[in-house]
Amino acid sequence: MTMDLDAVAGSVRVDAAVRALRPDFAVLVIAAEGLPAGPTDAWSRGLLKEAAEGAAGLDVTAEPHIAAWRQAYTAFGAKPGRTRNSAEALARRAAAGLPEVSLLVDAYNAVSVAHRLPVGGEDLDAYTGAPRLVRAVGDERFDTVASGAPAVEHPEPGEVVWCDDLGVTCRRWNHRQCVRTRITETTTRALFLLERLDPMPFEALDAAAEDLLARLRERAPELRAVTRLVR
C-alpha cells in the first residue's frame, strides 16, 4: 500500500520554543518510499569513501555551519565539545573512514559529510503520529540500548528533541537517534530531515537534498519522494 507522502511531509512541525531559540533554523523534509534496502554494499561504501576523502583534511570547528550548530547546542545547555551534532561527529571520523551501517544510512551520512549539515533518517513504518521538534519537558521516553540490552532514557528539561506520539526519536536536536525508529536494512519508507542554520544558504540546503535523492535514485529509479521546507 502506498503512503500519503504529502501528508507525512506536511505534518512536520517546529515548536515555537525552538524557533525562539534559533529563529534561523530550517529543516528540509523528504518523505520517500520505494527506497533501496539492504546492508552496506560496494555502492554505499563508495559513497562513504568519496565523502570521507573530501573531508579528510577538514578543520571541523572552522566550518561555519558546524560552528553554528555548536552555538545552537550551547544555547539549550549542551556542551558541544562533549555532545556533538551529527555532522560534526561524522566529519571528525572522515580521516579514519566513515562508519558503515546500512545502504540507506550510508547514503545519507555521505551526503551529511559532503554538504556539512546534519541529516537524519527515520523509518516511517515505525513512526507514530506527526514528527515535531520541541523543547523537552524531561519525562519523555527515549528508547535506546545500554550494555547491549534495551533501555529507556529521558531527555533533560529544555533539551531540543525530535519526537512522535510515542516518545523522543532523536535527542539533543540531531545528536543521537532512538532505536525504535532508526533506519534498518529492511527500511523502504523513510523520512529524511536535512537541518540548516545561518549562514548556510538555502540554495545549499536544496543542493544537499537534490544530491541525496539523486544518489538514492541510482539504486531505486522508481522511488517516490515529496520535499517540504519548514522554516
Side-chain angles (χ1 to χ4, degrees), residues 57-95:
L58 187 69
D59 182 353
V60 176
T61 57
E63 281 290 309
H65 196 226
I66 289 176
W69 278 106
R70 292 173 70 90
Q71 293 165 4
Y73 271 45
T74 300
F76 69 82
K79 296 180 178 178
R82 186 177 65 186
T83 304
R84 296 190 173 108
N85 67 81
S86 61
E88 179 177 350
L90 284 169
R92 286 180 177 275
R93 299 182 66 173

Side-chain angles (χ1 to χ4, degrees), residues 90-190:
L90 284 169
R92 286 180 177 275
R93 299 182 66 173
L98 294 171
E100 299 176 0
V101 181
S102 68
L103 189 150
L104 274 179
V105 176
D106 294 350
Y108 77 71
N109 279 348
V111 168
S112 175
V113 173
H115 292 267
R116 317 287 196 262
L117 84 165
V119 180
E122 305 284 354
D123 188 324
L124 282 175
D125 289 318
Y127 223 84
T128 301
R132 48 202 182 272
L133 186 67
V134 304
R135 299 198 71 174
V137 173
D139 60 358
E140 297 91 343
R141 179 186 180 97
F142 179 76
D143 295 294
T144 186
V145 174
S147 302
V152 175
E153 295 178 358
H154 302 283
E156 298 292 329
E159 182 181 324
V160 178
V161 296
W162 281 100
C163 60
D164 68 358
D165 289 351
L166 297 183
V168 173
T169 57
C170 192
R171 287 197 61 185
R172 297 188 179 94
W173 215 319
N174 46 44
H175 169 66
R176 185 158 63 103
Q177 190 175 24
C178 80
V179 171
R180 175 173 55 86
T181 63
R182 68 185 176 186
I183 287 176
T184 69
E185 294 178 0
T186 63
T187 299
T188 59
R189 300 199 285 199

